[in-house]
Amino acid sequence: MICFPCWPKSASATPASDDEIFPGDVIVRKKEVVRNDNYNLGPPSKGEYAHETGKMFLEALDIAAEQIPVPGVDIVIKVAKSLIQTYATLNHATDLKNRIKSLTLILVDELKGKKVEEIEERLRSDIKQLERDLKYIQSKLDEIAKQNTFLVILFRSLNENKVQGCVERLGNALESFHLARQIADTDALEHLSQQIVTFYRQQAQAVNDMQEDVTDLRKDMKAALAILTERKQSNSSPLRRGVIPVAPDIFFGRDTIVNGFALTLVSQPENSMARICLLGPGGMGKTSIARAVLNHQSVIEYFGEENRVWVPCVKATSVSSLKDTLYDSLGVSLNTGDPLRDILHDLNSSKSPIILLLDNFETPWNLHSRTEVQDILFQLAKLEHVALFVTMRSSQPPGDSIHWKCVHLEAVDKVASTCIYAEIDPAGSQSPELALLLDEVGHMPLAITLMAKLGKNLGSTPAELLEQYKQGGTTVMNLGGSTEQSMDICIGLSVESQPMKDSPSAAKLLAVLALLPVGTTLKALSQWWAHNTVPHATIMSGLGTLLDTSLVEKRGDTFVVLPVIRRYVLDPKRFPENIWESTVQMACAFLKEHSASFGEINYLGHKNARSLEEANLQGILLETTAPDPDIIEALLILSEHQYETRPRLEVSQHSLELSKKLGDQKLYAESLYWNGQNSKGLDQYEEAINELCLAREAFLLVSEVKRAADALYWIGNVTMSTDSQDYQRILEDALAEFQSLADPAGIAQCQTKLACNGMLNQFQPSPRFGSSAILIICQKNSLIVLAG
């Protein structure tokens, strides 16, 4: 391009054949520019030196940029180099050049020598945006350059405006480009310029007048630094810190925790601020407690309004976004391109007590780059005037070397649970079924809140809500698209967290434990429940992940899944079928392995083992609908166990239904027998006699004569408790059948019952002892216990 301010006045006015002639006799030569002898033969001018040093500046940047592995940076440098070298004709071009230089200076310094993985994704995106901005500017300036030179001269002011627009566009790019955050101070900027000059001096070949070149190069640098310094000064006004959420208006059962935390925060010795960690599963109210603590009057008075900082970490899905969240929440004004340094500088700028509330810290903590997150936490923990308050879905606090005061948050008590519901839905709070609903959701505050809102909005009673919940699970409690309005979203954040994705065993163990209503021990989990689904070597690590994400609680030696989380996991849409089948098989195998009846040598040990897992066994087997012989036999073993310990009918009736569906007469007879026995244990005598009579008939049909005699004996035994006088005849018939079978145990059983009954009829109670003496005498007369 021709430098128009230097247009030679002595140029020939005679047009050549290839010259262009415009109105006004203006001649533009195409093949050559006519210059006088002074221009052609004289030494280089200062302007020419300036032109050369401008090139040196960009050559230095060009060489340094080779160390940057991010795609697009080399294009940015090349475009910048082209812009600076080419468009030097108009007044605003100098400003444009200096702005480009300031940008490329920061770009190289921030990225040189780094690996690709060390450069944040957002910064790569910013580089692409910068590339687009520079290319846009180049395209506009190209439009100017393509004009005929006469038009450039004639419409100089118009073109000046276009260049000025490019300057403004680049200024906007400077403001939005995250890599071009302000350097800490002018000294750092000078140091950076010195590095570039030294770098160039090492690379350049020896030439004459090097000192003059370097001096001019420094001038280029200082012009670029002046722009950055100006930006630093214009951005130095302090920013307001994030707003603290107000205390929750519906808040019951947590006053002790809130007051304890507040006291801890304000009563620490000088230069030793508190480190508090509130742990627990989603939906327990950790955030609500944190809001209440930060709005506690003593905390406000101690820290002041501005020094209470709320840092919502739930969306901090990368190390850079965690830094940005801290940066924005603190309202940091310093902008050096290193957010953590700016954050620490801001916190250190005042020694007044500050409290940082890192809410939902599990999000950044669960990243693969935990070491970097931990380093940030350690840096914050070193600040003696800064109190840390962390809430997270976990059973363990972050950072082993930090001395935390930890509280693991559990469900509220029944009184607080009722108050929460009543505050939202007063009408439903009077329902007698409310207690059942609250028990079903495990007294979890979020679940109670969502159920109460649902009841109020739909006009549903707690009984209706309970029925809906049993049918639809946690999907019923979805009132919106956030964790505060949807139980599925709340629990899903933990179930779909990175640690769970990284541990397939954890997901399988969660499914297994969700099938166990009262949880189980590590031993039982390894030997039985997870034996066929989870590799033994990974069970402990899987449990560790479940504890870390607070999807499982450890109560003593037992690992338990909370009721609402169980409902979420057991949803048929997400529950793995193979886990269910395997767990049913394990339940059957467990009962077969522990099937000893009363009087057998292993009875006591088997009985204790069955008692420990009884609720789990019942919960699994009652959900089975397949008429499988192994399942029915397992139900019969459990029915017998319940008759001997605490009679109930659910298991025996379920075995009766399945055996009838199967069509196995013997299993059907056994189911009738144990259903009758459990009815007797519940003092339902008529039902017991009826079931035992049916059982006897079924036994006789399959030639189980011994079992038919057993049923007859118990028919007589139960008849003794009614008004009927037929019991003696029935017992005598049972005795005859045992005698025909030569069954000594059956014979002794019947004779004892008949003998004891005779003694009872002959005994006259003493007025002194009353009827209780009858029981004592009966117990002392030998085999009454055997007779039952």
Side-chain angles (χ1 to χ4, degrees):
M1 176 176 286
I2 301 172
C3 184
F4 292 110
C6 299
W7 190 270
K9 296 180 180 179
S10 58
S12 172
T14 304
S17 60
D18 55 354
D19 288 341
E20 291 186 22
I21 305 176
F22 293 91
D25 296 327
V26 176
I27 302 169
V28 177
R29 297 279 172 85
K30 280 203 164 189
K31 293 291 179 73
E32 63 177 347
V33 176
V34 181
R35 305 171 68 92
N36 63 22
D37 290 342
N38 291 334
Y39 277 91
N40 289 326
L41 303 177
S45 68
K46 289 289 184 181
E48 289 173 310
Y49 273 122
H51 177 69
E52 289 301 313
T53 52
K55 289 199 299 182
M56 287 190 290
F57 172 82
L58 283 171
E59 286 168 4
L61 290 175
D62 217 353
I63 296 170
E66 293 177 359
Q67 304 176 50
I68 303 173
V70 180
V73 173
D74 57 336
I75 298 174
V76 170
I77 296 296
K78 288 176 182 177
V79 174
K81 183 174 179 179
S82 174
L83 288 175
I84 292 174
Q85 287 180 322
T86 307
Y87 306 109
T89 61
L90 303 174
N91 293 337
H92 288 293
T94 302
D95 190 11
L96 181 61
K97 286 197 299 181
N98 288 334
R99 287 181 181 271
I100 293 172
K101 289 174 182 177
S102 68
L103 199 55
T104 51
L105 191 68
I106 295 299
L107 180 64
V108 171
D109 184 65
E110 288 291 332
L111 300 179
K112 64 184 179 183
K114 291 187 178 180
K115 298 178 180 178
V116 175
E117 59 270 17
E118 294 176 349
I119 299 171
E120 301 166 8
E121 181 61 34
R122 190 195 64 187
L123 302 184
R124 301 183 200 180
S125 175
D126 291 335
I127 292 169
K128 292 180 181 178
Q129 181 59 48
L130 177 62
E131 178 189 340
R132 289 192 289 269
D133 286 336
L134 289 177
K135 285 184 175 180
Y136 170 82
I137 294 168
Q138 187 175 37
S139 68
K140 293 302 177 185
L141 293 177
D142 280 341
E143 292 176 6
I144 299 173
K146 289 177 182 178
Q147 295 179 91
N148 190 283
T149 47
F150 173 74
L151 296 178
V152 173
I153 297 172
L154 189 61
F155 300 101
R156 186 181 186 87
S157 62
L158 179 60
N159 289 316
E160 287 280 4
N161 292 335
K162 290 185 177 181
V163 176
Q164 176 59 26
C166 293
V167 172
E168 293 174 358
R169 174 67 177 252
L170 188 60
N172 293 334
L174 275 167
E175 294 301 323
S176 64
F177 185 48
H178 293 289
L179 276 179
R181 287 191 178 109
Q182 286 175 257
I183 299 298
D185 50 43
T186 306
D187 291 338
L189 292 170
E190 261 327 314
H191 178 66
L192 178 56
S193 68
Q194 180 61 50
Q195 284 183 316
I196 297 290
V197 171
T198 302
F199 179 79
Y200 177 76
R201 183 184 288 117
Q202 293 171 349
Q203 297 293 328
Q205 297 178 355
V207 294
N208 294 332
D209 299 316
M210 174 61 76
Q211 183 58 46
E212 185 174 2
D213 290 347
V214 170
T215 300
D216 288 338
L217 181 57
R218 277 188 172 280
K219 290 179 181 178
D220 277 337
M221 291 291 187
K222 288 183 177 180
L225 300 181
I227 292 176
L228 294 176
T229 304
E230 180 184 355
R231 290 182 65 241
K232 176 189 174 187
Q233 293 172 349
S234 64
N235 291 336
S236 61
S237 57
L239 301 177
R240 182 175 177 81
R241 285 175 175 164
V243 177
I244 300 295
V246 298
D249 53 350
I250 300 176
F251 195 67
F252 296 96
R254 304 301 199 191
D255 290 344
T256 301
I257 296 175
V258 171
N259 293 332
F261 280 165
L263 181 62
T264 300
L265 287 167
V266 303
S267 61
Q268 294 296 309
E270 188 176 357
N271 296 328
S272 179
M273 300 302 287
R275 305 284 180 257
I276 294 174
C277 192
L278 184 56
L279 306 169
M284 277 300 174
K286 298 182 296 297
T287 297
S288 295
I289 289 176
R291 287 165 55 190
V293 171
L294 259 64
N295 285 281
H296 195 279
Q297 188 59 38
S298 63
V299 173
I300 295 174
E301 292 174 357
Y302 185 81
F303 291 98
E305 290 287 349
E306 289 298 318
N307 284 347
R308 299 170 302 133
V309 183
W310 185 276
V311 186
C313 300
V314 68
K315 294 184 179 180
T317 55
S318 66
V319 175
S320 62
S321 62
L322 173 61
K323 293 177 183 177
D324 286 342
T325 302
L326 279 164
Y327 188 95
D328 294 339
S329 299
L330 282 163
V332 177
S333 58
L334 187 63
N335 197 349
T336 69
D338 184 344
L340 183 58
R341 181 171 66 175
D342 297 341
I343 290 164
L344 296 174
H345 180 275
D346 184 89
L347 290 170
N348 276 315
S349 63
S350 171
K351 293 303 179 182
S352 299
I354 298 172
I355 178 170
L356 285 182
L357 189 287
L358 306 177
D359 190 39
N360 289 115
F361 193 69
E362 73 279 350
T363 299
W365 186 248
N366 289 336
L367 297 172
H368 284 144
S369 48
R370 177 174 290 187
T371 302
E372 295 179 63
V373 176
Q374 184 169 252
D375 181 63
I376 293 172
L377 195 61
F378 286 164
Q379 296 271 21
L380 296 174
K382 289 178 182 178
L383 305 177
E384 296 178 341
H385 66 295
V386 176
L388 294 181
F389 187 174
V390 169
T391 73
M392 60 189 298
R393 302 174 184 219
S394 179
S395 62
Q396 299 295 326
D400 296 334
S401 63
I402 300 176
H403 300 295
W404 297 100
K405 176 182 179 179
C406 291
V407 171
H408 192 281
L409 197 58
E410 297 181 349
V412 295
D413 59 32
K414 293 184 178 182
V415 174
S417 184
T418 304
C419 289
I420 294 171
Y421 193 98
E423 190 73 14
I424 300 169
D425 183 21
S429 65
Q430 304 303 315
S431 171
E433 286 83 10
L434 177 58
L436 296 175
L437 176 63
L438 298 179
D439 285 342
E440 193 70 23
V441 299
H443 301 276
M444 179 184 284
L446 179 58
I448 300 166
T449 300
L450 293 174
M451 278 296 191
K453 288 181 178 179
L454 195 63
K456 181 179 180 180
N457 294 342
L458 300 179
S460 300
T461 66
E464 293 169 337
L465 292 173
L466 180 58
E467 186 61 29
Q468 291 177 42
Y469 180 61
K470 287 181 177 179
Q471 292 179 3
T474 54
T475 55
V476 171
M477 294 184 282
N478 291 332
L479 306 181
S482 66
T483 55
E484 295 82 10
Q485 297 175 306
S486 171
M487 186 55 68
D488 277 358
I489 293 176
C490 180
I491 298 173
L493 287 175
S494 297
V495 173
E496 298 167 13
S497 64
Q498 193 60 51
M500 291 295 291
K501 292 176 182 177
D502 293 341
S503 176
S505 293
K508 292 178 181 178
L509 281 172
L510 179 62
V512 171
L513 286 167
L515 291 170
L516 310 177
V518 296
T520 192
T521 62
L522 174 61
K523 181 179 179 181
L525 198 61
S526 302
Q527 291 184 351
W528 295 100
W529 299 120
H531 182 71
N532 289 343
T533 54
V534 181
H536 180 79
T538 64
I539 287 179
M540 292 190 70
S541 64
L543 281 175
T545 298
L546 293 175
L547 290 171
D548 282 345
T549 54
S550 264
L551 288 167
V552 166
E553 284 188 357
K554 190 180 183 193
R555 301 173 183 172
D557 293 331
T558 303
F559 296 91
V560 184
V561 180
L562 295 177
V564 177
I565 299 177
R566 285 190 65 238
R567 284 282 181 181
Y568 174 91
V569 176
L570 292 176
D571 188 310
K573 297 190 297 292
R574 61 176 67 97
F575 193 82
E577 186 66 26
N578 63 311
I579 298 290
W580 164 249
E581 294 171 353
S582 175
T583 307
V584 171
Q585 291 173 5
M586 286 297 102
C588 295
F590 180 89
L591 283 166
K592 187 175 182 179
E593 185 77 15
H594 301 88
S595 60
S597 299
F598 179 76
E600 296 182 14
I601 190 169
N602 293 324
Y603 171 71
L604 189 58
H606 287 192
K607 175 187 174 185
N608 291 337
R610 291 194 300 259
S611 294
L612 288 173
E613 297 292 338
E614 179 182 354
N616 294 327
L617 293 163
Q618 175 171 313
I620 293 168
L621 294 175
L622 286 181
E623 292 297 321
T624 57
T625 56
D628 184 277
D630 291 338
I631 294 174
I632 297 170
E633 287 177 4
L635 286 165
L636 291 172
I637 296 170
L638 190 56
S639 296
E640 181 180 357
H641 172 80
Q642 291 184 341
Y643 164 70
E644 294 167 350
T645 55
R646 186 169 66 88
R648 277 151 292 169
L649 294 176
E650 294 91 347
V651 174
S652 59
Q653 288 177 348
H654 192 56
S655 69
L656 192 59
E657 293 170 4
L658 294 184
S659 60
K660 186 185 294 185
K661 188 186 297 184
L662 180 65
D664 187 307
Q665 194 67 20
K666 182 178 179 180
L667 291 176
Y668 179 62
E670 290 288 353
S671 299
L672 286 167
Y673 179 86
W674 288 111
N675 196 47
Q677 290 285 43
N678 277 286
S679 296
K680 177 181 75 72
L682 294 170
D683 296 336
Q684 299 175 6
Y685 300 127
E686 291 185 8
E687 292 84 350
I689 292 172
N690 182 60
E691 293 291 281
L692 289 168
C693 287
L694 292 173
R696 175 176 167 79
E697 292 174 7
F699 281 132
L700 291 172
L701 285 174
V702 293
S703 302
E704 289 285 340
V705 183
K706 167 67 171 61
R707 295 296 288 141
D710 284 335
L712 184 59
Y713 165 76
W714 284 110
I715 293 170
N717 200 326
V718 175
T719 304
M720 289 178 63
S721 302
T722 68
D723 295 333
S724 174
Q725 299 300 312
D726 293 338
Y727 64 87
Q728 186 165 349
R729 176 185 58 79
I730 297 171
L731 287 173
E732 289 172 349
D733 290 345
L735 176 60
E737 290 190 14
F738 281 124
Q739 287 173 338
S740 67
L741 293 169
D743 185 332
I747 294 170
Q749 182 173 256
C750 292
Q751 289 177 337
T752 301
K753 179 60 70 174
L754 287 167
C756 288
N757 187 60
M759 291 179 65
L760 287 172
N761 289 336
Q762 298 171 14
F763 181 78
Q764 298 296 323
S766 165
R768 179 179 177 185
F769 296 105
S771 59
S772 61
I774 299 175
L775 299 176
I776 295 173
I777 294 172
C778 288
Q779 288 172 355
K780 288 184 177 180
N781 277 272
S782 183
L783 298 175
I784 252 246
V785 176
L786 277 176

